[in-house]
Amino acid sequence: MEPNFTNGLTKELRGRSIFLIGMMGSGKSSTGPIIAEILKYKYVDLDLLIEKLTKKSIDKIFSDEGEEYFRDLETQCLQEVIKLPSVVVSTGGGVVLKKENWGILRQGIIVWLDINKEIAINRLNSKENIRPLLNGNIGIKYEEIFETRKDIYAQADLIVKINNEGVKNVAEKILKDLKKRLIIN
Ligand code: S3P
């Protein structure tokens, strides 16, 4: 059953897809499926889609073919995903780098999971690192990447500040903010 705070939200969205953007470790992949389930939307994790299509891990794509090749795959997958209505898409953190991708993202609603930097770095440090761009000192790499991207992320339709909340609470926060935003517009 749809929770009270999302009453009518799916209808209000009129099939527009929702793109979750943000830094690595911000929780896009864990929050996305919850939001999709509540909205009765389909769900796509862009990185997983790339891995499925290429039958290679992201790490392996980076090491075998390089970042540019990966970015092209990312755009191609995005072009396919936007053809479907009503999808929650968890994107990879670098999807915002290509101008071309923004033309696609803007067809849906873009939500930035603006996670506290220290919390994200702690999370990423506590897991085995599978992110090629964070090889070496995760904290330093994270800071460098965030500095180059923060103004780009800020162009999202909706910015949701995230601290240490659990995924369900983050999903709830996103949906509440989305509802407020849709009612105002
Ligand atoms: C990247 C983030 C990763 C993945 C790739 C590049 C980035 O996805 O797409 O390693 O450039 O920030 P997550 O944001 O899901 O970790």
Side-chain angles (χ1 to χ4, degrees):
M1 207 175 72
E2 213 179 350
N4 278 345
F5 62 88
T6 61
N7 268 349
L9 184 53
T10 303
K11 201 171 157 204
E12 201 82 46
L13 282 164
R14 285 178 276 115
R16 274 174 295 174
S17 287
I18 296 171
F19 293 100
L20 304 179
I21 66 165
M23 282 296 285
M24 297 168 263
S26 59
K28 302 174 299 266
S29 299
S30 46
T31 317
I34 301 175
I35 298 177
E37 194 187 337
I38 293 174
L39 292 176
K40 299 190 181 64
Y41 261 40
K42 296 174 277 298
Y43 176 69
V44 172
D45 183 308
L46 214 56
D47 279 347
L48 290 183
L49 181 61
I50 294 170
E51 291 187 330
K52 205 171 151 189
L53 292 174
T54 57
K55 298 189 178 67
K56 269 189 183 185
S57 68
I58 303 291
D59 201 20
K60 191 94 173 81
I61 300 172
F62 266 74
S63 61
D64 288 355
E65 276 98 15
E67 180 171 351
E68 213 180 310
Y69 180 84
F70 170 77
R71 296 291 171 212
D72 287 341
L73 287 174
E74 200 171 38
T75 301
Q76 283 167 30
C77 285
L78 209 52
Q79 283 164 342
E80 289 310 308
V81 166
I82 197 65
K83 291 179 184 164
L84 306 168
S86 314
V87 192
V88 174
V89 187
S90 298
T91 63
V95 80
V96 296
L97 297 174
K98 271 196 184 179
K99 267 212 177 122
E100 185 184 350
N101 292 348
W102 279 87
I104 303 171
L105 299 172
R106 286 270 182 238
Q107 294 174 49
I109 299 177
I110 310 168
V111 182
W112 175 23
L113 275 64
D114 182 14
I115 189 162
N116 171 286
K117 205 160 51 177
E118 282 70 36
I119 292 172
I121 293 171
N122 273 341
R123 271 189 198 172
L124 291 161
N125 263 319
S126 67
K127 290 186 202 143
E128 193 201 345
N129 180 32
I130 47 153
R131 280 136 171 134
L133 294 180
L134 296 179
N135 280 341
N137 185 316
I138 292 180
I140 293 174
K141 290 278 170 63
Y142 183 101
E143 297 255 9
E144 281 171 6
I145 296 173
F146 183 62
E147 278 310 304
T148 63
R149 291 186 187 166
K150 61 182 185 201
D151 294 342
I152 314 181
Y153 288 137
Q155 289 166 38
D157 299 306
L158 196 70
I159 299 174
V160 181
K161 292 263 176 215
I162 296 169
N163 288 297
N164 229 345
E165 306 92 337
V167 279
K168 277 197 176 153
N169 288 337
V170 173
E172 192 169 310
K173 204 166 168 181
I174 292 172
L175 289 165
K176 278 184 179 161
D177 287 359
L178 203 55
K179 188 163 185 195
K180 259 192 251 160
R181 160 111 202 183
L182 287 173
I183 287 167
I184 293 164
N185 286 328

